[in-house]
Amino acid sequence: MSLTPQEVAEKCAAIMWPDDHAARGLGMEIVAVGPGTATLRMTVRQDMVNGHGSCHGAFIFAVADSTFAYACNSDNHRAVAGGVDINFLAPASIGDVLTAVGCMRQQGGRSGIYDIEVANQDGKLIAVFRGRSVRVKGHF
């Protein structure tokens, strides 16, 4: 029996999720996964706020990076980050619900490019992230 690309993406996420203590510990949830795509959500908690009263950039980065991980591992090839860039466009506050939507731009051989946008509950763009993935040995 052969799985569809959507079924493969869902199965890969289901295998990764139980061991993803970082994402689970930060209260993230997987909203959707698909071939080369992922959407994760995280609510900004008080313990995520910096001395300026806004969400620390590391937590915005974390939800983007986790989304990148699920997108670039969605085709049953284990992959890790080879490098990333992030641009913070607006602050996030306590109680904001951040949704990160990621999609593959290019995948060839061992490397890929993935773009992730992080927006708040009002649709305001908070950050844009570009990840460069590197495939490593192994499959799910």
Side-chain angles (χ1 to χ4, degrees), residues 77-117:
H77 289 277
R78 289 189 183 265
V80 296
V84 302
D85 296 303
I86 190 165
N87 292 285
F88 300 105
L89 306 175
S93 303
I94 294 173
D96 279 352
V97 178
L98 302 181
T99 301
V101 178
C103 65
M104 177 183 60
R105 293 291 176 217
Q106 186 275 337
Q107 178 63 59
R110 290 189 59 218
S111 62
I113 302 290
Y114 292 77
D115 288 332
I116 291 84
E117 292 187 348

Side-chain angles (χ1 to χ4, degrees), residues 56-92:
H56 193 290
F59 295 107
I60 297 168
F61 180 94
V63 71
D65 189 45
S66 293
T67 302
F68 169 48
Y70 284 92
C72 73
N73 281 281
S74 65
D75 63 353
N76 199 23
H77 289 277
R78 289 189 183 265
V80 296
V84 302
D85 296 303
I86 190 165
N87 292 285
F88 300 105
L89 306 175

Side-chain angles (χ1 to χ4, degrees), residues 14 92 134:
V134 178

Side-chain angles (χ1 to χ4, degrees), residues 9-87:
E10 291 171 2
K11 198 165 194 80
C12 290
I15 291 168
M16 288 175 59
W17 185 249
D19 292 326
D20 194 346
H21 300 284
R24 289 182 20 242
L26 291 172
M28 292 182 205
E29 64 176 301
I30 299 173
V31 175
V33 293
T37 67
T39 302
L40 273 69
R41 185 177 297 136
M42 179 185 78
T43 300
V44 177
R45 304 182 313 225
Q46 184 173 11
D47 62 348
M48 297 175 173
V49 173
N50 62 24
H52 297 288
S54 59
C55 183
H56 193 290
F59 295 107
I60 297 168
F61 180 94
V63 71
D65 189 45
S66 293
T67 302
F68 169 48
Y70 284 92
C72 73
N73 281 281
S74 65
D75 63 353
N76 199 23
H77 289 277
R78 289 189 183 265
V80 296
V84 302
D85 296 303
I86 190 165
N87 292 285

